[in-house]
Amino acid sequence: AAAPRRRAPGGAPLVCRRLPPLLLARRRGRCVSSAAMGKASKDKRDIYYRKAKEEGWRARSAFKLLQVDEAFGVLEGARRVVDLCAAPGSWSQVLSRQLVVPYRERARDGLLTEVEKAAGEPKVVAVDLQPMAPIEGVVCIQGDITSERTARQDADGRVGSAEPAD
């Protein structure tokens, strides 16, 4: 008997794609992954680093979120998202490009559905100790995620009662 197919939340078939392996390099006579190599080496050799720079992503980790979303649809229906430990901001960039920018384009063209109008624009909040350069449609908060003051900031960066994230 064939094994039952695994399903993602919502009943959709679980699709697993084989991802390209990490680049391997020789260092002192032994083979090591690019993740274990020094930063300067990784910058020059890693295909995802180069691809991220070509496509305007802040870091290669953007591809991880894109692949997870493609496989499992984790961003589908998301309206409020908090990106913790967000620097340098590549996941926030993905969230902006996948959620906020398309909403704004549809709103500009008058193509929003009544449901989208009622829900309003998606809100993305990025929190990190390090400062981050601005990202369209993302509120960047510089603060400690374990601090109550930071946790109570809302999507406009004001301290108060914040809405829960999806």
Side-chain angles (χ1 to χ4, degrees):
R5 290 191 65 147
R6 293 179 50 195
R7 301 230 173 239
L14 186 62
V15 179
C16 294
R17 290 183 174 79
R18 184 175 172 92
L19 301 177
L22 288 173
L23 295 176
L24 298 177
R26 304 289 292 174
R27 182 198 264 176
R28 293 189 190 158
R30 63 176 196 254
C31 199
V32 294
S33 72
S34 62
M37 295 175 60
K39 183 173 175 21
S41 253
K42 185 187 337 178
D43 289 354
K44 294 175 185 165
R45 299 181 187 181
D46 188 273
I47 189 168
Y48 284 109
Y49 172 85
R50 289 192 307 269
K51 189 174 178 184
K53 294 304 171 195
E54 289 170 7
E55 294 182 17
W57 300 110
R58 293 184 180 192
R60 66 195 196 118
S61 59
F63 295 111
K64 294 176 186 178
L65 181 56
L66 290 168
Q67 288 174 339
V68 168
D69 184 47
E70 182 181 323
F72 303 106
V74 295
L75 299 180
E76 186 177 322
R79 306 299 302 163
R80 295 174 302 221
V81 183
V82 179
D83 184 3
L84 300 176
C85 303
S90 59
W91 278 34
S92 295
Q93 274 186 303
V94 171
L95 294 167
S96 174
R97 291 184 191 180
Q98 299 284 77
L99 303 176
V100 179
V101 172
Y103 178 92
R104 288 181 177 176
E105 289 173 354
R106 287 193 310 278
R108 182 193 65 223
D109 297 339
L111 301 174
L112 291 179
T113 65
E114 292 302 318
V115 173
E116 287 176 314
K117 288 177 187 176
E121 182 173 291
K123 293 183 174 121
V124 179
V125 178
V127 183
D128 202 290
L129 286 171
Q130 300 176 15
M132 284 180 23
I135 300 170
E136 180 184 357
V138 177
V139 175
C140 297
I141 298 174
Q142 185 177 356
D144 183 354
I145 63 170
T146 63
S147 160
E148 188 173 328
R149 178 176 171 78
T150 302
R152 289 190 299 136
Q153 289 187 20
D154 65 12
D156 296 322
R158 298 181 306 241
V159 175
S161 58
E163 295 179 36
D166 294 335

